[in-house]
Amino acid sequence: MTRSPSWLLQLPTELIVAICQALDLPGVVAFSQICRTLNTIINQTPAIQYKLELELYGMVDDKRSKLPIVQRLELLRRNNEVWQEWTISSDIKQSGGRLPTYDFQKGILAIGKSTIDPSFTSAIEFHQLKSKALDSPAIVWSCPDLGLQVKDFTTDPDQDLIVLLEIPVPSTTSTAELTPGRGTYRLHFRRMTATEGILASHPRATAPILSAEVGLQDGFILDPVLNDNTLFIRGNLFAFVHTSQRISSSTGITEVRIWDWPAGKLIHEYSIENESAFTFLDDSSYLLIGHCNINWRTTRWHAEIHTSDQEVSESRAHRFNEIVVLALPDLVRPCEVYGMNIRSDPNDSDTLASNPDNPFLLSNSLPFKPSSNRIIALNFLATPSLAEGHGTRFTVFILTSKLLQLSAGRPRGSESTPIPWDDWGPESTRWTHGLFQNSVVCNMHGLRYLTVPSTHRPRISIMDFNVYSIKKDVASPRASPHDPWEGKLSRVATRLITEPTYLSFPHLFSKPLVSYLPYKETTIPFLPMQVNSGLMMDDQRVVIFDVSRISAMPIAEVLADILFRGLLSTKRA
C-alpha cells in the first residue's frame, strides 16, 4: 500500500526546498513525481531550478558570485541557448611576426610577441574579449617589454596571475664549468594587470621567482620540439612539467614539479624514464600518460593516476605519492609514439578563495563554472616507423569522474598491478582518428571539445560529452561515429553518437579498438582555415586562430600573418 504524500505537504516550503537541494538531478525528478503540489513547488522555486539546470548543463555554482539566484538562473539559461547560432564578431590581427606564444583563459586572450629575437617572447598583449551574455566591452592592454627572454607562459585571470617561463641557462658549478645535461629554468609569478606597461610581481607570491633545474638534451638548450615544457595552474598549485629528449641515447625523461606557489614551497617531485603528458584531475590528483622508448620505439605504455590522501592545505604537505596504474591497449610490436599531450580545461580549483584585490575576479565571468567532471583529451601519433611516413593521429576522450572512480576503488601503492585495458577502457573512452590538428591547446572547456570534422565545406565541430545533453535531445538523429557529415550543409547541424567506435589498425594494435563513451556533435559553418591554424574556446565564445600566410622558414622562426577571429553566438544577445 502506497502512503499518501500528505505528511510531506505539511512540511514548511523552506524545508521541502532544502530537501530538493540535497538531492541529485534524478532524485529531484523522482521527488517531483510524487504529487502535483510538490511538482509545482519544484518548478516555481528558482533555487531548485538553478541547482537542477546546473547539473543538467554540467556546471556548478561559483560561490564567489554575489548575484541573486534569479539572475544566475537567467544567465545560465541564456548561456546555454546562445550556443546555437554563430557569427564572426571581431578580428584581432597580428601581422609579420613569428607564430606567437598565446594563452586563452576566461575570456582573456594573451598574445606573446617577439620584438628582438624571434626565438623567444619579449612582450605580451592582452585582449579581454567582449561578453554579450554579460554585456561587457572589449578591453586591450599590453606589456611592451617583459625584461626577460620568455619561452612560454600561462595565465589565470581569476587570480590576476601570469607565470612566465624564462629561457634556461646551462647549470654551472663555476664560471667556466658546465654541469653536463642540466639547465635551470626560472619561473616568474606576476600580475596580468599592467601598471604603466609593467607586469609587477604577484602580491600573493612569497617568492615571485622560482627555479627548476632540469635535463637538457645533451647539455645544450634546443628548440621547443626537443625540450617540451608544460605549465599548469590550479588554484594554489602550480605544476612545471619538462620532457627532454636525448638524441645520443634515443631516450627521453619527464620531470614533474608541483609547488604551492603562494608559499613558494616545492611539494612534489616525480621523474619517469619516458616521455609523458600531464594534466591535473582535481585538487589532489593528476594524470600522467607515458611510454617507454628503446631507440625511439615504444615497447609499452600506460597511464598513472597520482593522488594524495590529503586535501590541499597551506599547513600540510601535499605529496601526490599514491599511484594507480592503468594499462593502455597492447601494441602489436614496438612502434613510434610521439606528439603526445593531454588537456583538461579549465583547471579551476574547488578550494580557491575570493581575492577582492583582483580586478578580473568575475568581472567578465559567468556566475557558474564547469563541474569537476570534465573531459580529458589525449592526443598522439603512432607509426611502426617514421621511415614509413607520418603516423596516424589519435584522439582519446576520457571523463575525469571515471579516472577518479578507478583511483578511489583501487589499492594504493606504486607497485600495484595495472588495471587491464579491457576492464576499464572500452566503456570509459571514445577513440577517434584523423581529427584536425589544432595549433593551439585551449580547444576544450568542461565537457566540450572543439575541432574540425571531415566535411566538404569548412566547418567547426563541438563534441559535447555531457550525458544530459544526449538524453534530453530527442530531435537530433542518432548516427554511427563512422558516418560522414553531409558536407553540403551550410547550417548548424547536430547528431548523437551513441554507437560504439571500432578502429582497426593491425600494424599498430594487437586487436581492434572498441570504445563506447557517447557524445553529441554540433557542426557550425565558418570561414576557411589554413593548415597551421587552430581553435580556442571558453565558456562563452570560440576563437579561430587563422594563419593566413606562412613563410618557408624553420619551425622555430615561422613568420605569419595571423588573425584571431572571435566566433560568438548571436541568439538572445
Side-chain angles (χ1 to χ4, degrees):
M1 178 178 174
T2 304
R3 294 184 60 186
S4 168
S6 58
W7 67 274
L8 277 174
L9 303 181
Q10 295 175 6
L11 296 175
T13 301
E14 293 80 4
L15 187 54
I16 294 176
V17 171
I19 292 173
C20 290
Q21 290 181 319
L23 299 174
D24 59 8
L25 179 57
V28 175
V29 171
F31 197 63
S32 69
Q33 295 173 343
I34 293 177
C35 70
R36 187 172 299 174
T37 302
L38 289 176
N39 183 273
T40 300
I41 293 174
I42 290 171
N43 289 332
Q44 294 182 354
T45 305
I48 299 177
Q49 290 301 305
Y50 182 56
K51 177 191 183 310
L52 291 179
E53 295 186 31
L54 283 172
E55 188 171 351
L56 186 66
Y57 301 137
M59 299 287 180
V60 293
D61 183 48
D62 192 327
K63 300 188 182 302
R64 296 168 296 176
S65 174
K66 304 302 182 183
L67 292 177
I69 291 295
V70 173
Q71 285 184 247
R72 298 189 209 186
L73 178 60
E74 180 183 356
L75 283 172
L76 179 63
R77 290 172 174 172
R78 184 187 306 169
N79 189 62
N80 182 67
E81 291 180 5
V82 299
W83 279 82
Q84 310 301 324
E85 297 179 4
W86 308 82
T87 184
I88 299 292
S89 67
S90 61
D91 291 345
I92 303 171
K93 295 183 180 181
Q94 306 288 317
S95 181
R98 179 177 68 94
L99 279 176
T101 306
Y102 40 79
D103 196 27
F104 182 54
Q105 300 290 338
K106 300 178 175 66
I108 298 181
L109 175 63
I111 307 172
K113 296 184 175 184
S114 301
T115 59
I116 305 173
D117 186 330
S119 62
F120 62 84
T121 294
S122 56
I124 298 180
E125 187 173 273
F126 298 91
H127 296 260
Q128 180 170 295
L129 305 184
K130 64 182 180 182
S131 168
K132 290 191 174 182
L134 297 171
D135 195 26
S136 61
I139 303 173
V140 180
W141 71 100
S142 66
C143 175
D145 184 5
L146 294 171
L148 303 170
Q149 298 180 5
V150 174
K151 183 176 183 180
D152 196 6
F153 63 83
T154 189
T155 63
D156 183 355
D158 270 358
Q159 301 189 80
D160 188 16
L161 174 64
I162 182 169
V163 183
L164 307 172
L165 177 66
E166 188 177 0
I167 286 182
V169 295
S171 298
T172 60
T173 54
S174 68
T175 56
E177 183 181 359
L178 291 179
T179 303
R182 304 297 290 178
T184 300
Y185 282 97
R186 285 156 60 92
L187 298 151
H188 300 255
F189 292 78
R190 299 186 179 183
R191 301 191 72 162
M192 291 178 64
T193 45
T195 302
E196 297 182 350
I198 298 174
L199 303 182
S201 297
H202 200 283
R204 293 186 61 214
T206 303
I209 302 176
L210 300 175
S211 297
E213 185 180 273
V214 298
L216 297 175
Q217 189 240 294
D218 292 336
F220 297 99
I221 302 170
L222 297 182
D223 61 58
V225 175
L226 291 178
N227 289 292
D228 185 38
N229 308 278
T230 308
L231 311 176
F232 293 88
I233 303 170
R234 187 180 179 94
N236 289 340
L237 298 178
F238 172 76
F240 172 56
V241 182
H242 178 273
T243 298
S244 60
Q245 301 174 355
R246 298 184 175 91
I247 294 177
S248 60
S249 60
S250 298
T251 61
I253 184 171
T254 298
E255 300 171 73
V256 178
R257 290 174 176 81
I258 300 178
W259 285 269
D260 178 342
W261 70 266
K265 181 180 180 181
L266 182 65
I267 59 176
H268 177 71
E269 289 185 272
Y270 184 73
S271 178
I272 186 169
E273 288 287 340
N274 60 51
E275 300 157 33
S276 302
F278 170 100
T279 190
F280 280 114
L281 293 178
D282 61 12
D283 288 350
S284 58
S285 60
Y286 69 81
L287 177 67
L288 200 65
I289 298 181
H291 51 84
C292 298
N293 283 350
I294 298 179
N295 294 326
W296 292 104
R297 297 298 183 91
T298 297
T299 57
R300 63 186 184 275
W301 64 325
H302 64 276
E304 297 179 359
I305 303 174
H306 292 241
T307 62
S308 173
D309 58 359
Q310 306 174 33
E311 294 297 326
V312 176
S313 171
E314 294 183 0
S315 61
R316 296 185 296 181
H318 190 66
R319 298 296 179 183
F320 298 96
N321 285 337
E322 301 292 342
I323 303 175
V324 174
V325 180
L326 307 176
L328 295 172
D330 292 333
L331 296 166
V332 70
R333 57 176 173 169
C335 297
E336 295 174 4
V337 177
Y338 58 100
M340 179 179 291
N341 65 81
I342 48 179
R343 187 81 182 186
S344 179
D345 279 331
N347 263 323
D348 291 333
S349 170
D350 296 329
T351 60
L352 182 63
S354 175
N355 178 9
D357 296 328
N358 181 3
F360 289 123
L361 186 62
L362 302 178
S363 63
N364 198 22
S365 300
L366 295 167
F368 41 83
K369 58 184 180 179
S371 70
S372 58
N373 183 27
R374 301 170 186 179
I375 198 69
I376 289 175
L378 164 66
N379 295 279
F380 66 94
L381 292 100
T383 180
S385 172
L386 285 175
E388 300 180 14
H390 295 293
T392 302
R393 176 173 297 279
F394 294 92
T395 303
V396 186
F397 299 98
I398 317 168
L399 291 175
T400 58
S401 59
K402 181 60 178 181
L403 294 175
L404 293 172
Q405 179 185 349
L406 290 168
S407 174
R410 188 72 172 176
R412 303 298 174 87
S414 59
E415 301 300 324
S416 62
T417 303
I419 302 176
W421 168 256
D422 288 340
D423 289 355
W424 77 274
E427 294 289 341
S428 306
T429 63
R430 174 68 70 167
W431 283 65
T432 64
H433 74 96
L435 288 184
F436 182 76
Q437 180 182 356
N438 289 334
S439 294
V440 293
V441 294
C442 308
N443 62 313
M444 57 194 309
H445 192 271
L447 292 168
R448 293 187 177 114
Y449 183 83
L450 182 67
T451 187
V452 176
S454 298
T455 64
H456 294 92
R457 290 193 175 187
R459 305 173 71 85
I460 62 173
S461 176
I462 297 177
M463 303 167 70
D464 186 354
F465 290 86
N466 182 1
V467 63
Y468 294 118
S469 295
I470 301 168
K471 288 183 176 180
K472 66 187 181 67
D473 190 335
V474 296
S476 299
R478 294 182 180 269
S480 165
H482 306 286
D483 292 341
W485 276 97
E486 298 180 47
K488 294 183 179 180
L489 292 177
S490 58
R491 57 178 175 81
V492 175
T494 62
R495 64 180 186 177
L496 306 178
I497 306 297
T498 56
E499 296 183 12
T501 297
Y502 296 91
L503 300 180
S504 180
F505 293 88
H507 63 296
L508 296 174
F509 299 102
S510 58
K511 56 184 179 180
L513 302 168
V514 184
S515 55
Y516 296 87
L517 189 65
Y519 63 94
K520 176 180 177 178
E521 187 172 13
T522 303
T523 65
I524 306 117
F526 76 113
L527 299 177
M529 289 170 56
Q530 302 298 320
V531 66
N532 287 322
S533 301
L535 304 165
M536 296 179 281
M537 74 183 303
D538 66 359
D539 55 349
Q540 300 181 58
R541 57 189 71 79
V542 168
V543 175
I544 300 174
F545 173 82
D546 190 11
V547 178
S548 57
R549 179 183 62 83
I550 298 278
S551 67
M553 298 181 66
I555 188 169
E557 301 178 0
V558 170
L559 296 178
D561 287 333
I562 300 159
L563 187 64
F564 292 90
R565 290 191 174 101
L567 191 63
L568 299 176
S569 174
T570 58
K571 187 175 181 180
R572 293 194 60 180

